[in-house]
Amino acid sequence: MERDFCCLTDTEDLRSFITHSERTKTLFEEIRASINNNAEGERWFWRPVLPWGGVFPIRAGRKAIASTPLYVQISLKNTCTIDGFLMLLYVILRDNRSFPRELAPFLGKRFVEHFLFLMDSCDYTTVKMLWIWDRMSKRQYRAEVNHAALEIDLFGNEHENFTKNLEDLMSSAQESWCSNGSCPTRFQEDQRKTISVNPPHELPDKDPIQSALDEFFCPRLEPCEESECDGLREFSLRLFCHGPPAFVILDMQMWRSEDLPYVPFHLELSEQRYSLEGATLFNRDEHHYSAAFQIDGFWMHYDGLRSDNLVLLNKPPEFLLVSSLVYIRTTDR
C-alpha cells in the first residue's frame, strides 16, 4: 500500500530533489569510491550513514498560529531494529540495476524511488519515517507524547519491524496430502511470508544452512501429526508464490554459534543460485543490532551507534551472533 508520504509536494523537498539531481555520485558510488581509493589506516567511510535514532520535524503550516510556521517533532528511539536492514536494502537496490523494478510490485514504485532518493540525499531520519509510516503498522512500535513531541520507540525484533513488512516478496506455499482417507485434514496448504530455517538436530554431511533450506523447500514424507491418524503425509515441493525473489532473508535467530561452523557464500534455492550479500548481527548484552555487507568483494560493518559507523573490514565478519543472512539472486538456470 502506497501513501502520500512518498510524494514530493513540499517546496523544500523539491529544492532538495533538484540539488540531488545535480550531484554526480549516489551515496553508493561514494562508498564504492572510498573503498577502491582506501589508504592504509583510513578504514572507515568519511561521513556517518544512518545514525541511530533521529529527530523528524513536522511543519504544520503558516495558517496554524498567527501566520507563523508551527513545528513539532518526532523523536525516534532504538532504531537499530530497522537501520541495518535499510542499509542492506539500499546497497542491494543500488548494486543490482534490475532489482528496483522487481521490488516495485511488492513495495510500490513510488516507495522504491523515494527511498533511493532520500538515501542518496543523506536524509536519513526521513528514510526511517518513510519505512515506519509506509511499511509498518502501529502495533509494531510504541508511540507516546512526551513534552509536546511524539516519541516512536522501535525497541524489539528486527524481523517483526522489517522482514515481515516486505509484503509477499518471499511468500511461498507447500501442499500436503495424508494417505489416510479418513484424516480430518487430509489436504493442507502451508503458506509462509518469511523464510525461517531451523538448525539441524544432527550436523549434516553437507552445509547445515543448505540442508535446512532443502528440508524447508523439498518434498518429503512424514507421519501425519493429526490426532489418532496413522497415515503418512506427503509434502509437495515448496514454491515461491511470485517466482524466485530478487533477494531472500534467512531468519537465523534459532541458531547458536556452534550450529554455524561457517556461513556459505552461495546457496541453491528454487533452482536459482543465490550469493551472500550481507547479514545482520545481534549483541545480546546490549540488545543491539548491526549489519555487515560486501561491495566489490570488500566487507563493511555498519553500526548506527558509532561515530564512524561504516567501517571497512580486513576480512569477512565473524558471524557468531548472526540474526539474519541476506542472499541475492545471481543467476537463472
Side-chain angles (χ1 to χ4, degrees):
M1 180 176 66
E2 298 181 49
R3 302 181 184 176
D4 292 338
F5 184 80
C6 294
C7 297
L8 294 174
T9 55
D10 191 271
T11 303
E12 293 180 2
D13 286 339
L14 183 58
R15 187 181 301 114
S16 177
F17 178 79
I18 294 173
T19 302
H20 168 67
S21 300
E22 295 172 349
R23 292 174 57 184
T24 58
K25 289 183 179 180
T26 64
L27 174 64
F28 178 79
E29 290 169 336
E30 290 179 355
I31 296 173
R32 169 177 275 169
S34 74
I35 294 174
N36 294 329
N37 299 325
N38 184 266
E40 193 64 32
E42 298 178 2
R43 313 300 296 177
W44 59 86
F45 187 53
W46 65 277
R47 63 182 172 195
V49 177
L50 273 177
W52 184 94
V55 176
F56 182 76
I58 300 177
R59 185 171 59 190
R62 292 187 174 276
K63 295 182 180 179
I65 299 178
S67 300
T68 301
L70 175 66
Y71 288 84
V72 295
Q73 68 181 28
I74 299 176
S75 297
L76 304 180
K77 298 172 57 179
N78 296 311
T79 59
C80 67
T81 55
I82 64 173
D83 290 345
F85 269 129
L86 290 176
M87 194 68 211
L88 282 167
L89 179 62
Y90 173 74
V91 171
I92 289 172
L93 290 173
R94 278 290 181 232
D95 202 20
N96 301 271
R97 293 186 177 182
S98 66
F99 284 3
R101 184 176 65 255
E102 286 195 48
L103 263 64
F106 302 100
L107 299 180
K109 181 180 178 181
R110 286 193 302 170
F111 174 89
V112 173
E113 291 176 347
H114 200 36
F115 170 75
L116 292 174
F117 158 70
L118 290 171
M119 286 293 293
D120 289 330
S121 302
C122 304
D123 193 352
Y124 299 128
T125 302
T126 309
V127 167
K128 300 179 190 187
M129 291 305 306
L130 175 67
W131 181 265
I132 293 168
W133 283 349
D134 199 281
R135 299 281 94 203
M136 298 177 68
S137 64
K138 290 183 179 180
R139 60 180 174 78
Q140 291 175 306
Y141 57 83
R142 188 175 73 250
E144 59 183 18
V145 177
N146 184 21
H147 298 295
L150 178 66
E151 286 187 354
I152 294 180
D153 192 344
L154 296 175
F155 183 86
N157 181 283
E158 65 176 0
H159 290 285
E160 292 290 335
N161 289 348
F162 190 89
T163 313
K164 292 184 178 180
N165 296 315
L166 290 172
E167 298 296 340
D168 294 321
L169 176 68
M170 294 181 289
S171 289
S172 65
Q174 185 177 46
E175 298 176 342
S176 66
W177 299 264
C178 181
S179 61
N180 184 355
S182 59
C183 178
T185 55
R186 190 177 186 189
F187 172 79
Q188 294 179 358
E189 183 179 46
D190 179 47
Q191 293 188 342
R192 306 283 182 92
K193 296 186 69 172
T194 60
I195 302 177
S196 181
V197 290
N198 296 317
H201 298 295
E202 298 180 0
L203 194 63
D205 295 333
K206 59 180 180 178
D207 171 69
I209 296 179
Q210 183 68 66
S211 298
L213 277 175
D214 291 344
E215 183 177 341
F216 183 69
F217 278 89
C218 291
R220 63 185 187 277
L221 192 64
E222 296 179 354
C224 184
E225 295 182 351
E226 287 295 324
S227 178
E228 299 182 0
C229 181
D230 57 358
L232 289 175
R233 183 163 292 276
E234 181 178 359
F235 291 82
S236 68
L237 176 70
R238 177 178 292 275
L239 299 174
F240 284 112
C241 298
H242 306 285
F247 68 90
V248 295
I249 298 173
L250 306 186
D251 183 349
M252 304 296 293
Q253 295 179 101
M254 299 299 294
W255 293 65
R256 302 169 300 176
S257 57
E258 54 265 35
D259 296 325
L260 287 174
Y262 65 93
V263 172
F265 281 81
H266 303 284
L267 291 174
E268 302 292 331
L269 180 60
S270 190
E271 298 186 344
Q272 304 290 322
R273 186 173 175 83
Y274 284 80
S275 296
L276 182 65
E277 182 78 354
T280 58
L281 309 172
F282 182 61
N283 185 319
R284 290 192 181 94
D285 295 332
E286 300 177 358
H287 200 90
H288 176 61
Y289 294 97
S290 61
F293 58 89
Q294 65 90 20
I295 296 178
D296 296 343
F298 294 92
W299 281 91
M300 306 200 78
H301 184 227
Y302 160 79
D303 187 343
L305 278 176
R306 295 189 309 218
S307 56
D308 299 320
N309 63 11
L310 194 56
V311 178
L312 181 64
L313 301 175
N314 292 318
K315 61 178 182 178
E318 300 292 338
F319 295 111
L320 297 179
L321 295 174
V322 62
S323 176
S324 306
L325 293 174
V326 181
Y327 287 80
I328 60 170
R329 193 186 68 237
T330 55
T331 59
D332 294 338
R333 282 188 170 181

